[in-house]
């Protein structure tokens, strides 16, 4: 009888009556409380009521979040792993007469508009404009390789970007482009092709 009673509590009562216990991992700019509030998690929410598919869909709709995995563990545990986007470059846009920074990740996704500058040192990328701007937008697909190149250099030799004040994209005919690099301690701008790598930066220096 005791075993049956314990099994009843564990399999039915706890999932249905006990508050769900949510554990977060991967958070950098968000706090656990912010995510809980965003998902509408209250002390009365139980494990059986927690809709993992709905929660994952809602989190994926946030431009700052690149990926999310939610696992429900019986009888009352939920694990939420979040991967936040990281800025590969920052640009400047004009909104209602005010110049504000936007952060762009390695995939060309604009995920932060007027949220300040990123904590890490990233290059200033200019030379393009927007009719409208919103978080979640992507840069033109032709700039995707450039963002990947910037992210690669940033992950291996980020110090190179500390000597550049700006990387400007110069559009050419037929959808191509080239780059103008502006060293911090020089008035000379360096014109190069669309390939940005360590060899090109070393040659520039």
């Amino acid at each position: 009888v005791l075993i049956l009673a314990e099994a009843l509590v564990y399999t039915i009562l706890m999932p249905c009556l006990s508050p769900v216990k949510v554990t977060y991992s991967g958070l950098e700019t968000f706090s656990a409380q912010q995510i809980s509030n965003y998902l509408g998690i209250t002390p009365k929410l139980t494990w059986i009521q927690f809709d993992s598919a709905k929660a994952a869909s809602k989190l994926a709709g946030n431009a700052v979040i690149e990926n999310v995995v939610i696992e429900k563990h019986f009888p009352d545990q939920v694990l939420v792993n979040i991967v936040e986007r990281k800025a590969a470059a920052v640009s400047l846009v004009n909104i209602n007469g005010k110049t504000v920074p936007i952060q762009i990740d390695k995939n060309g996704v604009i995920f932060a508009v007027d949220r300040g500058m990123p904590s890490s040192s990233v290059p200033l990328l200019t030379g393009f404009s927007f009719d409208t701007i919103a978080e979640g937008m992507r840069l033109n697909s032709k700039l995707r390789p450039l963002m990947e190149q910037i992210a690669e250099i940033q992950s291996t030799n980020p110090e190179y970007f500390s000597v550049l004040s700006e990387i400007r994209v110069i559009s050419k005919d037929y959808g191509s482009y080239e780059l103008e690099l502006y060293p911090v301690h020089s008035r000379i701008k360096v014109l190069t092709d669309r390939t940005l790598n360590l060899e090109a930066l070393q040659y520039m220096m």
Side-chain angles (χ1 to χ4, degrees):
V1 172
L2 290 176
I3 292 174
L4 289 175
E6 185 176 354
L8 179 66
V9 170
Y10 187 78
T11 60
I12 297 178
L13 296 183
M14 284 187 66
C16 294
L17 300 178
S18 296
V20 63
K21 298 176 182 177
V22 184
T23 302
Y24 300 99
S25 62
L27 297 180
E28 295 186 23
T29 60
F30 292 112
S31 67
Q33 188 59 51
Q34 285 175 320
I35 298 297
S36 292
N37 293 340
Y38 186 71
L39 293 177
I41 297 175
T42 66
K44 295 182 179 180
L45 184 70
T46 64
W47 185 87
I48 202 73
Q49 293 173 329
F50 185 89
D51 189 334
S52 57
K54 183 178 179 180
S57 177
K58 189 169 185 178
L59 289 173
N62 190 305
V64 180
I65 296 175
E66 181 177 0
N67 187 44
V68 58
V69 176
I70 298 180
E71 299 177 356
K72 292 182 73 173
H73 293 275
F74 192 84
D76 60 355
Q77 299 287 329
V78 173
L79 304 180
V80 180
N81 178 258
I82 290 175
V83 178
E84 297 184 19
R85 297 186 190 276
K86 293 181 173 59
V90 65
S91 190
L92 300 173
V93 297
N94 188 282
I95 299 178
N96 298 325
K98 177 185 175 183
T99 300
V100 299
I102 60 173
Q103 298 182 41
I104 311 168
D105 79 344
K106 63 182 179 182
N107 298 312
V109 176
I110 299 168
F111 67 93
V113 176
D114 197 13
R115 297 197 188 193
M117 299 295 286
S119 56
S120 57
S121 177
V122 299
L124 174 64
L125 189 63
T126 62
F128 43 82
S129 60
F130 306 93
D131 294 329
T132 59
I133 188 73
E135 294 181 350
M137 289 176 52
R138 287 180 181 268
L139 298 182
N140 190 298
S141 58
K142 70 179 182 180
L143 295 174
R144 173 74 177 272
L146 174 61
M147 297 308 304
E148 292 175 347
Q149 292 163 7
I150 290 175
E152 175 65 23
I153 296 171
Q154 194 174 20
S155 65
T156 55
N157 298 84
E159 63 273 9
Y160 276 98
F161 291 134
S162 65
V163 297
L164 289 177
S165 63
E166 181 182 347
I167 300 174
R168 177 175 290 271
V169 178
I170 308 296
S171 297
K172 298 175 66 177
D173 295 334
Y174 309 110
S176 185
Y177 63 88
E178 55 189 11
L179 304 174
E180 280 184 352
L181 309 180
Y182 292 80
V184 173
H185 302 295
S186 175
R187 295 183 179 181
I188 299 174
K189 61 184 179 183
V190 181
L191 188 65
T192 183
D193 62 18
R194 58 190 297 169
T195 302
L196 187 66
N197 51 38
L198 290 177
E199 290 74 16
L201 292 177
Q202 289 169 354
Y203 181 76
M204 181 192 76
M205 293 304 158

